[in-house]
Amino acid sequence: MNLIKVNTMPTIFNTMDDIIDGFVDSYRYDQARIPKYNVIENEKEYIVTVEIPGFEKEDVSIEHKDDILTISGTSKYSEKSERYFNSFENLEINKSFYLPEDVETKKIDANLKNGILAITIPRKTPIKTKAKKITIK
């Protein structure tokens, strides 16, 4: 089972989703967004890197519940002042990943540096068993 299933082929459904998401997002008060991310899988671990510029580690929450890893947070830029124009707004992030069965959830580690959140999710070592020959009676 893959950590994330991604459809890379462009379809009319993907295009329509992008158009609708852009339309809905443009009318939201807060600038909530789904951050860009990469998922790397190797024999020992999964590594999820998430782009969250402007966020401090105190602004971000990572939770694991029912085989779902959720990254959420709010970065507050707004300050009360007498400015006529302020393009800095509060930013919200929220992204969830389904975790496969082969992860060690107690050993998940996270690091935030230069706006990139790196989450390392170790995989369980597979138990190898010997094949047992069964005789036919």
Side-chain angles (χ1 to χ4, degrees):
M1 176 178 172
N2 291 334
L3 183 64
I4 298 172
K5 294 181 181 178
V6 178
N7 183 5
T8 57
M9 296 296 297
T11 66
I12 186 67
F13 299 108
N14 295 348
T15 305
M16 288 305 294
D17 284 345
D18 290 343
I19 292 170
I20 291 170
D21 288 345
F23 179 74
V24 171
D25 286 343
S26 66
Y27 287 100
R28 295 192 58 184
Y29 180 75
D30 285 332
Q31 295 296 317
R33 67 180 190 99
I34 299 173
K36 294 180 181 180
Y37 61 91
N38 288 326
V39 178
I40 300 167
E41 176 183 355
N42 60 41
E43 293 176 3
K44 296 181 181 181
E45 61 197 2
Y46 298 98
I47 301 170
V48 179
T49 54
V50 183
E51 182 183 71
I52 53 172
F55 283 79
E56 300 293 331
K57 65 181 180 180
E58 298 82 20
D59 300 333
V60 181
S61 172
I62 304 170
E63 295 180 354
H64 168 260
K65 182 179 179 184
D66 298 329
D67 295 329
I68 298 175
L69 183 74
T70 303
I71 304 163
S72 59
T74 303
S75 179
K76 297 181 180 177
Y77 288 107
S78 297
E79 294 181 12
K80 292 185 178 185
S81 68
E82 296 181 15
R83 296 182 189 139
Y84 293 107
F85 181 76
N86 186 7
S87 63
F88 287 104
E89 297 183 23
N90 297 339
L91 293 176
E92 259 182 55
I93 57 166
N94 194 353
K95 180 64 185 161
S96 296
F97 299 94
Y98 286 101
L99 296 177
E101 297 174 0
D102 70 338
V103 299
E104 294 189 34
T105 56
K106 293 181 180 180
K107 296 183 180 179
I108 296 175
D109 186 37
N111 183 20
L112 178 62
K113 184 176 180 181
N114 296 331
I116 303 295
L117 176 65
I119 303 170
T120 304
I121 308 166
R123 297 175 82 169
K124 293 178 184 175
T125 306
I127 300 171
K128 296 182 182 180
T129 58
K130 294 182 180 180
K132 181 180 177 183
K133 184 147 182 141
I134 301 173
T135 57
I136 300 172
K137 296 181 182 180

